[in-house]
Amino acid sequence: MSVATIEEGPLLGPSFFLSRTALRSLALAHRDGYGAARPYPHVVIDGFLGERLASGLAEVFPGASEAHWKRRDHQEQAARLGQLQRKAFEGVHGALRHLLSELSSMSFLDFLETLTGVQGLIADPHFRGAGLHLTLRGGHLALHADFNRDRFRALSRRLTVLYYLNPGWEAAWGGDLELWNADLTRCETKIAPLLDRLVVMAHGDTYWHGHPSPLECPEGRGRAAVAAYFYTAEASPDAPEAHSAIWAPGRSGSSTE
């Protein structure tokens, strides 16, 4: 069962929508594996959107000179392009912008909650630190644990979602996402960035990951990923007690005549 349906529109062209029912079935099928995964909870799901849709998204993923990328070249990360959200994804193909929207949708949030057991998840429509990422030949991302708070909204980071769009990716090029144990003594899982592969992983301050070895892909190719982060709100001790709507007395709108 596909998790997405493709519809044709006369003005917008083909669009797709995630199926809440299919996603729930997918989440239930992978729920136990997510919780039992090592070195920390995560899941790898292949064929997430289907080859036809994924290939189309890969074709319109912007190259190094086709978008307002911000490049990072530091000791911790090199030849990494991102930050398209700074200009509200201006110039990014509508199909990719639609994918970002669907990753923030009710259907996808329900999928994540069923898969992980984390309730009350909140998407980030601003995609701070997330969105589209492209790593070029020679680029790398050192092992790290992700930032833990959305300081603008006072939210706690709970999940990271990665979706890869790399057709024909070869093992010799590297780029595997490495998941390391808490004391950084060994890599326990390697995940190749293959086309139409979805990764969901829990957040934690000792949940080390990255792709630390420089990419050896050909010039003109890159490691393309779509990233989305999800949060929960913390209960505040001075928050007002929750209540339902308060109706003004004698203003129900009904007539007594």
Side-chain angles (χ1 to χ4, degrees), residues 133-156:
H133 294 156
L134 182 65
T135 306
L136 307 179
R137 177 179 173 84
H140 74 278
L141 178 62
L143 295 177
H144 66 285
D146 288 319
F147 68 87
N148 66 340
R149 297 278 291 172
D150 180 334
R151 292 174 292 177
F152 297 93
R153 299 184 294 168
L155 301 176
S156 297

Side-chain angles (χ1 to χ4, degrees), residues 129-215:
L132 307 187
H133 294 156
L134 182 65
T135 306
L136 307 179
R137 177 179 173 84
H140 74 278
L141 178 62
L143 295 177
H144 66 285
D146 288 319
F147 68 87
N148 66 340
R149 297 278 291 172
D150 180 334
R151 292 174 292 177
F152 297 93
R153 299 184 294 168
L155 301 176
S156 297
R157 177 97 165 257
R158 301 300 301 274
L159 299 174
T160 295
V161 168
L162 300 169
Y163 180 64
Y164 294 114
L165 289 171
N166 300 297
W169 191 263
E170 298 184 12
W173 298 350
D176 288 2
L177 176 65
E178 299 183 7
L179 309 185
W180 284 62
N181 62 350
D183 59 7
L184 285 170
T185 57
R186 65 183 180 278
C187 174
E188 297 204 11
T189 301
K190 289 188 176 183
I191 303 168
L194 303 182
L195 177 71
D196 204 21
R197 171 169 280 181
L198 183 81
V199 179
V200 180
M201 57 185 186
H203 169 82
D205 285 348
T206 59
Y207 290 2
W208 307 106
H209 60 280
H211 53 97
S213 298
L215 289 186

Side-chain angles (χ1 to χ4, degrees), residues 44-60:
V44 179
I45 299 174
D46 288 322
F48 180 66
L49 294 179
E51 185 175 358
R52 174 191 171 192
L53 182 50
S55 296
L57 292 168
E59 287 180 6
V60 297

Side-chain angles (χ1 to χ4, degrees), residues 60-75:
V60 297
F61 198 95
S65 61
E66 297 171 349
H68 302 288
W69 296 106
K70 181 178 180 180
R71 177 166 174 149
R72 285 195 166 96
D73 281 300
H74 309 294
Q75 180 179 357

